[in-house]
Amino acid sequence: ILGSTILYAAPKIKWRMLEGLKQLKKFCEARAILLIISSQISREVESRQDKRPILSDLFLPGLEVCSDKIAFLYRPEYYGITQDREGNDLSGFAEFIVRLNKKGMTGSCLMLFKNRFGSFEGWQTYDYGKEGDSNRFESFKEDTLRKVGEVRGVDEGDIPF
């Protein structure tokens, strides 16, 4: 009996959370306050071949309705993926993916993940360290930015990364 009660209550709790978020968003908009919400994603990501998260992976269904922007962080190394299709080394890379942007473009950009510190850096500020690392990263960066521009039909000079 307890199990069925929990299953019945879960949709109501999610609905109340979503209603609360809508009210919080209105409150923040009225006062020009930036609202950032962090959410879990479902484990369905792990069962797919492409591990990049998508909107339906959000823990709270309907969150995309009251959100202006939704972005995900994806680290292929976390899933044991160490090379891309072309054989480029992916260790230390992360992808910032904008899946929803009601007032602008969607897409992704590469960042570097510093596992030791648990932090991310943009490629412009990366300290290459050893000789040869910069060449690997430069070619990977240029190739990725070119692909993002081609997909979105954007000129190379207009890419904001």
Side-chain angles (χ1 to χ4, degrees):
I1 292 177
L2 182 60
S4 63
T5 304
I6 291 171
L7 288 175
Y8 178 72
K12 286 186 177 183
I13 292 170
K14 288 183 179 183
W15 180 82
R16 285 183 183 164
M17 286 174 61
L18 193 56
E19 287 301 310
L21 285 174
K22 286 179 183 177
Q23 291 176 4
L24 182 60
K25 181 181 176 183
K26 286 180 186 177
F27 175 85
C28 290
E29 283 177 343
R31 290 157 182 79
I33 298 171
L34 176 65
L35 175 63
I36 298 174
I37 299 170
S38 176
S39 175
Q40 291 177 297
I41 58 172
S42 70
R43 296 232 180 240
E44 290 180 27
V45 171
E46 295 174 6
S47 64
R48 292 195 308 257
Q49 188 168 355
D50 184 6
K51 308 288 188 211
R52 287 177 180 83
I54 56 177
L55 290 175
S56 62
D57 292 328
L58 288 171
F59 173 71
L60 186 61
L63 187 60
E64 65 276 4
V65 174
C66 65
S67 300
D68 293 328
K69 294 178 175 83
I70 295 179
F72 297 97
L73 289 171
Y74 167 68
R75 290 191 310 120
E77 199 172 10
Y78 176 82
Y79 297 101
I81 301 168
T82 57
Q83 292 184 340
D84 66 5
R85 291 181 191 139
E86 288 82 31
N88 296 314
D89 183 17
L90 296 176
S91 57
F93 288 103
E95 190 175 353
F96 183 80
I97 306 167
V98 178
R99 291 282 187 205
L100 175 73
N101 187 356
K102 291 183 180 175
K103 298 178 183 178
M105 292 176 32
T106 60
S108 65
C109 69
L110 285 178
M111 299 186 303
L112 295 169
F113 178 68
K114 290 193 167 188
N115 195 22
R116 181 174 167 200
F117 303 107
S119 64
F120 296 90
E121 284 188 359
W123 51 265
Q124 296 93 338
T125 60
Y126 179 59
D127 179 12
Y128 294 109
K130 292 185 262 175
E131 225 175 284
D133 283 352
S134 62
N135 292 336
R136 174 181 65 99
F137 188 71
E138 285 297 321
S139 64
F140 191 63
K141 172 186 71 177
E142 289 170 12
D143 187 46
T144 302
L145 290 178
R146 182 182 49 75
K147 287 178 184 173
V148 170
E150 286 173 3
V151 169
R152 295 285 167 213
V154 177
D155 291 333
E156 201 171 299
D158 293 337
I159 297 175
F161 310 116

mmCIF file with all atom_site columns, all heavy atoms in Angstrom, residues 17 21 36-42 53 55 57-61 63-64 67 70-73:
data_model
loop_
_atom_site.group_PDB
_atom_site.id
_atom_site.type_symbol
_atom_site.label_atom_id
_atom_site.label_alt_id
_atom_site.label_comp_id
_atom_site.label_asym_id
_atom_site.label_entity_id
_atom_site.label_seq_id
_atom_site.pdbx_PDB_ins_code
_atom_site.Cartn_x
_atom_site.Cartn_y
_atom_site.Cartn_z
_atom_site.occupancy
_atom_site.B_iso_or_equiv
_atom_site.pdbx_formal_charge
_atom_site.auth_seq_id
_atom_site.auth_comp_id
_atom_site.auth_asym_id
_atom_site.auth_atom_id
_atom_site.pdbx_PDB_model_num
ATOM 1   N N   . MET A 1 17 ? 6.085  21.427 -7.765  1.00 0.00 ? 17 MET A N   1
ATOM 2   C CA  . MET A 1 17 ? 7.405  22.015 -7.988  1.00 0.00 ? 17 MET A CA  1
ATOM 3   C C   . MET A 1 17 ? 7.386  22.902 -9.224  1.00 0.00 ? 17 MET A C   1
ATOM 4   O O   . MET A 1 17 ? 7.919  24.014 -9.211  1.00 0.00 ? 17 MET A O   1
ATOM 5   C CB  . MET A 1 17 ? 8.459  20.911 -8.145  1.00 0.00 ? 17 MET A CB  1
ATOM 6   C CG  . MET A 1 17 ? 8.823  20.217 -6.855  1.00 0.00 ? 17 MET A CG  1
ATOM 7   S SD  . MET A 1 17 ? 9.941  18.812 -7.094  1.00 0.00 ? 17 MET A SD  1
ATOM 8   C CE  . MET A 1 17 ? 11.360 19.585 -7.822  1.00 0.00 ? 17 MET A CE  1
ATOM 9   N N   . LEU A 1 21 ? 8.051  26.888 -9.463  1.00 0.00 ? 21 LEU A N   1
ATOM 10  C CA  . LEU A 1 21 ? 9.061  27.471 -10.344 1.00 0.00 ? 21 LEU A CA  1
ATOM 11  C C   . LEU A 1 21 ? 8.471  28.586 -11.207 1.00 0.00 ? 21 LEU A C   1
ATOM 12  O O   . LEU A 1 21 ? 9.112  29.608 -11.437 1.00 0.00 ? 21 LEU A O   1
ATOM 13  C CB  . LEU A 1 21 ? 9.679  26.395 -11.237 1.00 0.00 ? 21 LEU A CB  1
ATOM 14  C CG  . LEU A 1 21 ? 10.668 25.460 -10.570 1.00 0.00 ? 21 LEU A CG  1
ATOM 15  C CD1 . LEU A 1 21 ? 11.077 24.358 -11.541 1.00 0.00 ? 21 LEU A CD1 1
ATOM 16  C CD2 . LEU A 1 21 ? 11.881 26.208 -10.076 1.00 0.00 ? 21 LEU A CD2 1
ATOM 17  N N   . ILE A 1 36 ? 18.780 30.988 -11.867 1.00 0.00 ? 36 ILE A N   1
ATOM 18  C CA  . ILE A 1 36 ? 19.454 29.811 -12.411 1.00 0.00 ? 36 ILE A CA  1
ATOM 19  C C   . ILE A 1 36 ? 19.016 28.611 -11.587 1.00 0.00 ? 36 ILE A C   1
ATOM 20  O O   . ILE A 1 36 ? 19.103 28.624 -10.367 1.00 0.00 ? 36 ILE A O   1
ATOM 21  C CB  . ILE A 1 36 ? 20.987 29.962 -12.356 1.00 0.00 ? 36 ILE A CB  1
ATOM 22  C CG1 . ILE A 1 36 ? 21.424 31.156 -13.206 1.00 0.00 ? 36 ILE A CG1 1
ATOM 23  C CG2 . ILE A 1 36 ? 21.662 28.687 -12.825 1.00 0.00 ? 36 ILE A CG2 1
ATOM 24  C CD1 . ILE A 1 36 ? 22.885 31.469 -13.112 1.00 0.00 ? 36 ILE A CD1 1
ATOM 25  N N   . ILE A 1 37 ? 18.548 27.582 -12.276 1.00 0.00 ? 37 ILE A N   1
ATOM 26  C CA  . ILE A 1 37 ? 18.067 26.367 -11.605 1.00 0.00 ? 37 ILE A CA  1
ATOM 27  C C   . ILE A 1 37 ? 18.917 25.193 -12.055 1.00 0.00 ? 37 ILE A C   1
ATOM 28  O O   . ILE A 1 37 ? 19.171 25.019 -13.244 1.00 0.00 ? 37 ILE A O   1
ATOM 29  C CB  . ILE A 1 37 ? 16.584 26.105 -11.945 1.00 0.00 ? 37 ILE A CB  1
ATOM 30  C CG1 . ILE A 1 37 ? 15.739 27.267 -11.463 1.00 0.00 ? 37 ILE A CG1 1
ATOM 31  C CG2 . ILE A 1 37 ? 16.121 24.789 -11.346 1.00 0.00 ? 37 ILE A CG2 1
ATOM 32  C CD1 . ILE A 1 37 ? 14.323 27.229 -11.951 1.00 0.00 ? 37 ILE A CD1 1
ATOM 33  N N   . SER A 1 38 ? 19.344 24.406 -11.117 1.00 0.00 ? 38 SER A N   1
ATOM 34  C CA  . SER A 1 38 ? 20.106 23.204 -11.408 1.00 0.00 ? 38 SER A CA  1
ATOM 35  C C   . SER A 1 38 ? 19.175 22.007 -11.262 1.00 0.00 ? 38 SER A C   1
ATOM 36  O O   . SER A 1 38 ? 18.374 21.956 -10.336 1.00 0.00 ? 38 SER A O   1
ATOM 37  C CB  . SER A 1 38 ? 21.279 23.108 -10.431 1.00 0.00 ? 38 SER A CB  1
ATOM 38  O OG  . SER A 1 38 ? 21.983 21.924 -10.627 1.00 0.00 ? 38 SER A OG  1
ATOM 39  N N   . SER A 1 39 ? 19.272 21.061 -12.170 1.00 0.00 ? 39 SER A N   1
ATOM 40  C CA  . SER A 1 39 ? 18.379 19.909 -12.141 1.00 0.00 ? 39 SER A CA  1
ATOM 41  C C   . SER A 1 39 ? 19.142 18.630 -12.443 1.00 0.00 ? 39 SER A C   1
ATOM 42  O O   . SER A 1 39 ? 20.139 18.638 -13.165 1.00 0.00 ? 39 SER A O   1
ATOM 43  C CB  . SER A 1 39 ? 17.265 20.087 -13.174 1.00 0.00 ? 39 SER A CB  1
ATOM 44  O OG  . SER A 1 39 ? 16.456 18.935 -13.237 1.00 0.00 ? 39 SER A OG  1
ATOM 45  N N   . GLN A 1 40 ? 18.643 17.552 -11.900 1.00 0.00 ? 40 GLN A N   1
ATOM 46  C CA  . GLN A 1 40 ? 19.176 16.239 -12.239 1.00 0.00 ? 40 GLN A CA  1
ATOM 47  C C   . GLN A 1 40 ? 18.675 15.846 -13.624 1.00 0.00 ? 40 GLN A C   1
ATOM 48  O O   . GLN A 1 40 ? 17.675 16.370 -14.107 1.00 0.00 ? 40 GLN A O   1
ATOM 49  C CB  . GLN A 1 40 ? 18.670 15.188 -11.255 1.00 0.00 ? 40 GLN A CB  1
ATOM 50  C CG  . GLN A 1 40 ? 19.211 15.316 -9.860  1.00 0.00 ? 40 GLN A CG  1
ATOM 51  C CD  . GLN A 1 40 ? 18.583 14.260 -8.970  1.00 0.00 ? 40 GLN A CD  1
ATOM 52  O OE1 . GLN A 1 40 ? 17.385 14.265 -8.764  1.00 0.00 ? 40 GLN A OE1 1
ATOM 53  N NE2 . GLN A 1 40 ? 19.401 13.361 -8.445  1.00 0.00 ? 40 GLN A NE2 1
ATOM 54  N N   . ILE A 1 41 ? 19.383 14.905 -14.230 1.00 0.00 ? 41 ILE A N   1
ATOM 55  C CA  . ILE A 1 41 ? 18.875 14.312 -15.463 1.00 0.00 ? 41 ILE A CA  1
ATOM 56  C C   . ILE A 1 41 ? 18.631 12.830 -15.204 1.00 0.00 ? 41 ILE A C   1
ATOM 57  O O   . ILE A 1 41 ? 19.194 12.243 -14.274 1.00 0.00 ? 41 ILE A O   1
ATOM 58  C CB  . ILE A 1 41 ? 19.828 14.513 -16.659 1.00 0.00 ? 41 ILE A CB  1
ATOM 59  C CG1 . ILE A 1 41 ? 21.205 13.921 -16.391 1.00 0.00 ? 41 ILE A CG1 1
ATOM 60  C CG2 . ILE A 1 41 ? 19.950 15.987 -17.020 1.00 0.00 ? 41 ILE A CG2 1
ATOM 61  C CD1 . ILE A 1 41 ? 22.108 13.934 -17.602 1.00 0.00 ? 41 ILE A CD1 1
ATOM 62  N N   . SER A 1 42 ? 17.781 12.237 -16.013 1.00 0.00 ? 42 SER A N   1
ATOM 63  C CA  . SER A 1 42 ? 17.436 10.833 -15.827 1.00 0.00 ? 42 SER A CA  1
ATOM 64  C C   . SER A 1 42 ? 18.590 9.936  -16.252 1.00 0.00 ? 42 SER A C   1
ATOM 65  O O   . SER A 1 42 ? 19.505 10.351 -16.957 1.00 0.00 ? 42 SER A O   1
ATOM 66  C CB  . SER A 1 42 ? 16.181 10.485 -16.639 1.00 0.00 ? 42 SER A CB  1
ATOM 67  O OG  . SER A 1 42 ? 16.491 10.498 -18.010 1.00 0.00 ? 42 SER A OG  1
ATOM 68  N N   . PRO A 1 53 ? 23.109 14.828 -23.227 1.00 0.00 ? 53 PRO A N   1
ATOM 69  C CA  . PRO A 1 53 ? 21.756 14.990 -22.687 1.00 0.00 ? 53 PRO A CA  1
ATOM 70  C C   . PRO A 1 53 ? 20.848 15.811 -23.609 1.00 0.00 ? 53 PRO A C   1
ATOM 71  O O   . PRO A 1 53 ? 21.320 16.699 -24.317 1.00 0.00 ? 53 PRO A O   1
ATOM 72  C CB  . PRO A 1 53 ? 21.983 15.704 -21.355 1.00 0.00 ? 53 PRO A CB  1
ATOM 73  C CG  . PRO A 1 53 ? 23.346 16.270 -21.429 1.00 0.00 ? 53 PRO A CG  1
ATOM 74  C CD  . PRO A 1 53 ? 24.119 15.495 -22.426 1.00 0.00 ? 53 PRO A CD  1
ATOM 75  N N   . LEU A 1 55 ? 16.543 17.478 -23.860 1.00 0.00 ? 55 LEU A N   1
ATOM 76  C CA  . LEU A 1 55 ? 15.521 18.059 -22.987 1.00 0.00 ? 55 LEU A CA  1
ATOM 77  C C   . LEU A 1 55 ? 14.679 17.010 -22.259 1.00 0.00 ? 55 LEU A C   1
ATOM 78  O O   . LEU A 1 55 ? 14.327 17.192 -21.096 1.00 0.00 ? 55 LEU A O   1
ATOM 79  C CB  . LEU A 1 55 ? 14.611 18.996 -23.785 1.00 0.00 ? 55 LEU A CB  1
ATOM 80  C CG  . LEU A 1 55 ? 15.256 20.292 -24.261 1.00 0.00 ? 55 LEU A CG  1
ATOM 81  C CD1 . LEU A 1 55 ? 14.296 21.065 -25.144 1.00 0.00 ? 55 LEU A CD1 1
ATOM 82  C CD2 . LEU A 1 55 ? 15.725 21.129 -23.104 1.00 0.00 ? 55 LEU A CD2 1
ATOM 83  N N   . ASP A 1 57 ? 15.568 14.410 -20.996 1.00 0.00 ? 57 ASP A N   1
ATOM 84  C CA  . ASP A 1 57 ? 16.324 13.808 -19.899 1.00 0.00 ? 57 ASP A CA  1
ATOM 85  C C   . ASP A 1 57 ? 16.168 14.577 -18.586 1.00 0.00 ? 57 ASP A C   1
ATOM 86  O O   . ASP A 1 57 ? 16.620 14.109 -17.543 1.00 0.00 ? 57 ASP A O   1
ATOM 87  C CB  . ASP A 1 57 ? 17.818 13.733 -20.237 1.00 0.00 ? 57 ASP A CB  1
ATOM 88  C CG  . ASP A 1 57 ? 18.105 12.756 -21.356 1.00 0.00 ? 57 ASP A CG  1
ATOM 89  O OD1 . ASP A 1 57 ? 17.375 11.752 -21.468 1.00 0.00 ? 57 ASP A OD1 1
ATOM 90  O OD2 . ASP A 1 57 ? 19.059 12.993 -22.116 1.00 0.00 ? 57 ASP A OD2 1
ATOM 91  N N   . LEU A 1 58 ? 15.563 15.743 -18.624 1.00 0.00 ? 58 LEU A N   1
ATOM 92  C CA  . LEU A 1 58 ? 15.399 16.530 -17.402 1.00 0.00 ? 58 LEU A CA  1
ATOM 93  C C   . LEU A 1 58 ? 14.562 15.776 -16.381 1.00 0.00 ? 58 LEU A C   1
ATOM 94  O O   . LEU A 1 58 ? 13.571 15.124 -16.728 1.00 0.00 ? 58 LEU A O   1
ATOM 95  C CB  . LEU A 1 58 ? 14.742 17.872 -17.701 1.00 0.00 ? 58 LEU A CB  1
ATOM 96  C CG  . LEU A 1 58 ? 15.610 18.883 -18.427 1.00 0.00 ? 58 LEU A CG  1
ATOM 97  C CD1 . LEU A 1 58 ? 14.773 20.073 -18.864 1.00 0.00 ? 58 LEU A CD1 1
ATOM 98  C CD2 . LEU A 1 58 ? 16.756 19.334 -17.536 1.00 0.00 ? 58 LEU A CD2 1
ATOM 99  N N   . PHE A 1 59 ? 14.948 15.883 -15.129 1.00 0.00 ? 59 PHE A N   1
ATOM 100 C CA  . PHE A 1 59 ? 14.258 15.189 -14.036 1.00 0.00 ? 59 PHE A CA  1
ATOM 101 C C   . PHE A 1 59 ? 12.826 15.686 -13.889 1.00 0.00 ? 59 PHE A C   1
ATOM 102 O O   . PHE A 1 59 ? 11.914 14.919 -13.611 1.00 0.00 ? 59 PHE A O   1
ATOM 103 C CB  . PHE A 1 59 ? 15.023 15.396 -12.725 1.00 0.00 ? 59 PHE A CB  1
ATOM 104 C CG  . PHE A 1 59 ? 14.320 14.877 -11.522 1.00 0.00 ? 59 PHE A CG  1
ATOM 105 C CD1 . PHE A 1 59 ? 14.197 13.509 -11.313 1.00 0.00 ? 59 PHE A CD1 1
ATOM 106 C CD2 . PHE A 1 59 ? 13.772 15.737 -10.590 1.00 0.00 ? 59 PHE A CD2 1
ATOM 107 C CE1 . PHE A 1 59 ? 13.544 13.014 -10.197 1.00 0.00 ? 59 PHE A CE1 1
ATOM 108 C CE2 . PHE A 1 59 ? 13.115 15.245 -9.482  1.00 0.00 ? 59 PHE A CE2 1
ATOM 109 C CZ  . PHE A 1 59 ? 13.006 13.882 -9.284  1.00 0.00 ? 59 PHE A CZ  1
ATOM 110 N N   . LEU A 1 60 ? 12.623 16.970 -14.081 1.00 0.00 ? 60 LEU A N   1
ATOM 111 C CA  . LEU A 1 60 ? 11.304 17.574 -13.893 1.00 0.00 ? 60 LEU A CA  1
ATOM 112 C C   . LEU A 1 60 ? 10.652 17.825 -15.248 1.00 0.00 ? 60 LEU A C   1
ATOM 113 O O   . LEU A 1 60 ? 11.009 18.776 -15.947 1.00 0.00 ? 60 LEU A O   1
ATOM 114 C CB  . LEU A 1 60 ? 11.446 18.892 -13.118 1.00 0.00 ? 60 LEU A CB  1
ATOM 115 C CG  . LEU A 1 60 ? 10.186 19.600 -12.695 1.00 0.00 ? 60 LEU A CG  1
ATOM 116 C CD1 . LEU A 1 60 ? 9.350  18.723 -11.766 1.00 0.00 ? 60 LEU A CD1 1
ATOM 117 C CD2 . LEU A 1 60 ? 10.533 20.896 -11.989 1.00 0.00 ? 60 LEU A CD2 1
ATOM 118 N N   . PRO A 1 61 ? 9.707  16.963 -15.663 1.00 0.00 ? 61 PRO A N   1
ATOM 119 C CA  . PRO A 1 61 ? 9.051  17.179 -16.957 1.00 0.00 ? 61 PRO A CA  1
ATOM 120 C C   . PRO A 1 61 ? 8.317  18.516 -16.959 1.00 0.00 ? 61 PRO A C   1
ATOM 121 O O   . PRO A 1 61 ? 7.710  18.897 -15.966 1.00 0.00 ? 61 PRO A O   1
ATOM 122 C CB  . PRO A 1 61 ? 8.057  16.021 -17.056 1.00 0.00 ? 61 PRO A CB  1
ATOM 123 C CG  . PRO A 1 61 ? 8.400  15.075 -15.984 1.00 0.00 ? 61 PRO A CG  1
ATOM 124 C CD  . PRO A 1 61 ? 9.187  15.819 -14.964 1.00 0.00 ? 61 PRO A CD  1
ATOM 125 N N   . LEU A 1 63 ? 9.845  21.403 -17.309 1.00 0.00 ? 63 LEU A N   1
ATOM 126 C CA  . LEU A 1 63 ? 10.776 22.479 -16.945 1.00 0.00 ? 63 LEU A CA  1
ATOM 127 C C   . LEU A 1 63 ? 11.088 23.349 -18.159 1.00 0.00 ? 63 LEU A C   1
ATOM 128 O O   . LEU A 1 63 ? 11.254 24.560 -18.030 1.00 0.00 ? 63 LEU A O   1
ATOM 129 C CB  . LEU A 1 63 ? 12.063 21.889 -16.363 1.00 0.00 ? 63 LEU A CB  1
ATOM 130 C CG  . LEU A 1 63 ? 13.071 22.864 -15.782 1.00 0.00 ? 63 LEU A CG  1
ATOM 131 C CD1 . LEU A 1 63 ? 12.460 23.655 -14.634 1.00 0.00 ? 63 LEU A CD1 1
ATOM 132 C CD2 . LEU A 1 63 ? 14.305 22.132 -15.303 1.00 0.00 ? 63 LEU A CD2 1
ATOM 133 N N   . GLU A 1 64 ? 11.127 22.744 -19.334 1.00 0.00 ? 64 GLU A N   1
ATOM 134 C CA  . GLU A 1 64 ? 11.431 23.514 -20.539 1.00 0.00 ? 64 GLU A CA  1
ATOM 135 C C   . GLU A 1 64 ? 10.331 24.523 -20.866 1.00 0.00 ? 64 GLU A C   1
ATOM 136 O O   . GLU A 1 64 ? 10.580 25.512 -21.542 1.00 0.00 ? 64 GLU A O   1
ATOM 137 C CB  . GLU A 1 64 ? 11.699 22.589 -21.734 1.00 0.00 ? 64 GLU A CB  1
ATOM 138 C CG  . GLU A 1 64 ? 10.545 21.755 -22.198 1.00 0.00 ? 64 GLU A CG  1
ATOM 139 C CD  . GLU A 1 64 ? 10.359 20.442 -21.427 1.00 0.00 ? 64 GLU A CD  1
ATOM 140 O OE1 . GLU A 1 64 ? 11.079 20.180 -20.469 1.00 0.00 ? 64 GLU A OE1 1
ATOM 141 O OE2 . GLU A 1 64 ? 9.457  19.685 -21.821 1.00 0.00 ? 64 GLU A OE2 1
ATOM 142 N N   . SER A 1 67 ? 11.196 27.675 -18.814 1.00 0.00 ? 67 SER A N   1
ATOM 143 C CA  . SER A 1 67 ? 12.594 28.107 -18.908 1.00 0.00 ? 67 SER A CA  1
ATOM 144 C C   . SER A 1 67 ? 12.828 28.908 -20.178 1.00 0.00 ? 67 SER A C   1
ATOM 145 O O   . SER A 1 67 ? 12.247 28.624 -21.217 1.00 0.00 ? 67 SER A O   1
ATOM 146 C CB  . SER A 1 67 ? 13.519 26.886 -18.928 1.00 0.00 ? 67 SER A CB  1
ATOM 147 O OG  . SER A 1 67 ? 13.375 26.132 -17.763 1.00 0.00 ? 67 SER A OG  1
ATOM 148 N N   . ILE A 1 70 ? 18.019 26.462 -21.523 1.00 0.00 ? 70 ILE A N   1
ATOM 149 C CA  . ILE A 1 70 ? 18.427 25.228 -20.854 1.00 0.00 ? 70 ILE A CA  1
ATOM 150 C C   . ILE A 1 70 ? 19.743 24.790 -21.475 1.00 0.00 ? 70 ILE A C   1
ATOM 151 O O   . ILE A 1 70 ? 19.866 24.678 -22.694 1.00 0.00 ? 70 ILE A O   1
ATOM 152 C CB  . ILE A 1 70 ? 17.376 24.114 -20.988 1.00 0.00 ? 70 ILE A CB  1
ATOM 153 C CG1 . ILE A 1 70 ? 16.091 24.514 -20.271 1.00 0.00 ? 70 ILE A CG1 1
ATOM 154 C CG2 . ILE A 1 70 ? 17.917 22.797 -20.421 1.00 0.00 ? 70 ILE A CG2 1
ATOM 155 C CD1 . ILE A 1 70 ? 14.974 23.493 -20.355 1.00 0.00 ? 70 ILE A CD1 1
ATOM 156 N N   . ALA A 1 71 ? 20.718 24.561 -20.608 1.00 0.00 ? 71 ALA A N   1
ATOM 157 C CA  . ALA A 1 71 ? 22.037 24.146 -21.068 1.00 0.00 ? 71 ALA A CA  1
ATOM 158 C C   . ALA A 1 71 ? 22.489 22.930 -20.271 1.00 0.00 ? 71 ALA A C   1
ATOM 159 O O   . ALA A 1 71 ? 22.084 22.729 -19.124 1.00 0.00 ? 71 ALA A O   1
ATOM 160 C CB  . ALA A 1 71 ? 23.033 25.285 -20.910 1.00 0.00 ? 71 ALA A CB  1
ATOM 161 N N   . PHE A 1 72 ? 23.306 22.121 -20.902 1.00 0.00 ? 72 PHE A N   1
ATOM 162 C CA  . PHE A 1 72 ? 23.855 20.924 -20.277 1.00 0.00 ? 72 PHE A CA  1
ATOM 163 C C   . PHE A 1 72 ? 25.370 20.937 -20.405 1.00 0.00 ? 72 PHE A C   1
ATOM 164 O O   . PHE A 1 72 ? 25.917 21.522 -21.332 1.00 0.00 ? 72 PHE A O   1
ATOM 165 C CB  . PHE A 1 72 ? 23.333 19.654 -20.978 1.00 0.00 ? 72 PHE A CB  1
ATOM 166 C CG  . PHE A 1 72 ? 21.861 19.451 -20.903 1.00 0.00 ? 72 PHE A CG  1
ATOM 167 C CD1 . PHE A 1 72 ? 21.040 19.843 -21.948 1.00 0.00 ? 72 PHE A CD1 1
ATOM 168 C CD2 . PHE A 1 72 ? 21.286 18.844 -19.798 1.00 0.00 ? 72 PHE A CD2 1
ATOM 169 C CE1 . PHE A 1 72 ? 19.673 19.635 -21.899 1.00 0.00 ? 72 PHE A CE1 1
ATOM 170 C CE2 . PHE A 1 72 ? 19.920 18.632 -19.743 1.00 0.00 ? 72 PHE A CE2 1
ATOM 171 C CZ  . PHE A 1 72 ? 19.116 19.028 -20.783 1.00 0.00 ? 72 PHE A CZ  1
ATOM 172 N N   . LEU A 1 73 ? 26.024 20.264 -19.480 1.00 0.00 ? 73 LEU A N   1
ATOM 173 C CA  . LEU A 1 73 ? 27.453 19.998 -19.592 1.00 0.00 ? 73 LEU A CA  1
ATOM 174 C C   . LEU A 1 73 ? 27.615 18.527 -19.927 1.00 0.00 ? 73 LEU A C   1
ATOM 175 O O   . LEU A 1 73 ? 26.965 17.677 -19.318 1.00 0.00 ? 73 LEU A O   1
ATOM 176 C CB  . LEU A 1 73 ? 28.173 20.303 -18.275 1.00 0.00 ? 73 LEU A CB  1
ATOM 177 C CG  . LEU A 1 73 ? 28.282 21.769 -17.912 1.00 0.00 ? 73 LEU A CG  1
ATOM 178 C CD1 . LEU A 1 73 ? 28.821 21.919 -16.496 1.00 0.00 ? 73 LEU A CD1 1
ATOM 179 C CD2 . LEU A 1 73 ? 29.166 22.502 -18.900 1.00 0.00 ? 73 LEU A CD2 1
#
